[in-house]
Amino acid sequence: EIVLTQSPGTLSLSPGERATLSCRASQSVSGNYLAWYQQKPGQAPRLLIYGISSRATGIPDRFSGSGSGTDFTLTISRLEPEDFAVYYCQQYDSTLWTFGQGTKVEIK
Amino acid sequence: QLVESGGGLVQPGGSLRLSCAASGFTFSTYSMSWVRQAPGKGLEWVSYISTSSSPIYYADSVKGRFTISRDNAKNSLYLQMHSLGAEDTAVYYCARGYLENTFDMWGQGTMVTVSS
């Protein structure tokens, strides 16, 4: 089973700043099966990025994904007030889906 | 949209059946999964079912205790849960399968609490 480790656990930033979130896999992620989700309190997760770098429908272009192998990054170029939330990475491998433990982006 | 139901309080060792009603899209053409989230914790994938109900996959933590199924004629997804323990306490989401094995549509979740 591939384990995803996200860092940092919490990111304290101000609106307008750039956010860089990391997701590291315990072994190489197969194909392009790496995604990112955003979750706000009391809400279901929302798909942001699939296939490492493709934005889901309706996702603003300030969100971007990159990486390969075992190291992946979600970048939010300029934080908007609505971007403060918890972010999860997710991978698929051999009939198993796993999520990272999450990174909380909070207002500084 | 996806709307889950069937959650509630159940005693340890008990059973519960969750349902997920789909609308607004052609349910039969999408794979579906259940994903859960324990209180204050992260997301855990639970089970997957393909469009035709085969193949089906389970997380090791629920294998042998949970059964996923679907009724394409009723646009519904189900999760039958047996031998429930405190570790199964969570919000259970149904989620629609999307490109690159992701989930692009989620329900609002239904809470399952296992406690005596």
Side-chain angles (χ1 to χ4, degrees):
Chain A
E1 175 183 328
I2 295 179
V3 176
L4 299 178
T5 302
Q6 293 186 239
S7 62
T10 301
L11 200 50
S12 297
L13 295 168
S14 299
E17 290 193 295
R18 182 184 187 89
T20 303
L21 287 66
S22 173
C23 175
R24 178 162 290 177
S26 58
Q27 53 188 286
S28 186
V29 173
S30 59
N32 290 331
Y33 299 143
L34 194 287
W36 292 90
Y37 299 82
Q38 176 194 69
Q39 187 178 34
K40 297 179 181 179
Q43 296 184 17
R46 177 174 72 144
L47 177 66
L48 298 175
I49 301 288
Y50 66 93
I52 300 177
S53 60
S54 297
R55 276 186 298 277
T57 303
I59 302 303
D61 60 7
R62 63 180 181 272
F63 291 92
S64 63
S66 62
S68 64
T70 60
D71 290 298
F72 302 90
T73 300
L74 174 70
T75 301
I76 311 171
S77 58
R78 296 173 311 280
L79 282 165
E80 297 288 340
E82 61 268 28
D83 298 337
F84 292 92
V86 178
Y87 293 83
Y88 295 94
C89 57
Q90 171 252 310
Q91 71 83 40
Y92 167 81
D93 178 68
S94 299
T95 75
L96 282 177
W97 287 256
T98 55
F99 292 87
Q101 83 281 14
T103 289
K104 182 179 182 180
V105 178
E106 65 176 22
I107 299 176
K108 186 174 181 180
Chain B
Q1 66 172 4
L2 299 170
V3 179
E4 301 94 336
S5 61
L9 176 64
V10 60
Q11 292 191 339
S15 300
L16 209 57
R17 189 194 195 210
L18 306 183
S19 298
C20 171
S23 61
F25 65 98
T26 306
F27 178 72
S28 61
T29 64
Y30 287 87
S31 65
M32 298 294 296
S33 284
W34 287 96
V35 178
R36 68 184 180 183
Q37 186 170 35
K41 303 297 184 182
L43 301 167
E44 179 189 16
W45 168 78
V46 171
S47 184
Y48 161 96
I49 186 168
S50 68
T51 55
S52 61
S53 299
S54 180
I56 283 174
Y57 307 126
Y58 297 98
D60 286 346
S61 57
V62 307
K63 203 172 291 183
R65 300 187 300 121
F66 289 14
T67 301
I68 191 172
S69 62
R70 66 189 295 162
D71 186 335
N72 287 339
K74 294 183 178 181
N75 293 330
S76 293
L77 175 72
Y78 306 101
L79 186 68
Q80 179 68 56
M81 305 185 293
H82 295 294
S83 304
L84 287 164
E87 68 277 10
D88 297 313
T89 293
V91 174
Y92 285 72
Y93 295 102
C94 61
R96 187 176 76 172
Y98 188 59
L99 298 172
E100 311 289 6
N101 288 292
T102 58
F103 310 111
D104 73 325
M105 181 183 292
W106 299 65
Q108 86 289 350
T110 187
M111 183 70 202
V112 172
T113 303
V114 184
S115 175
S116 55

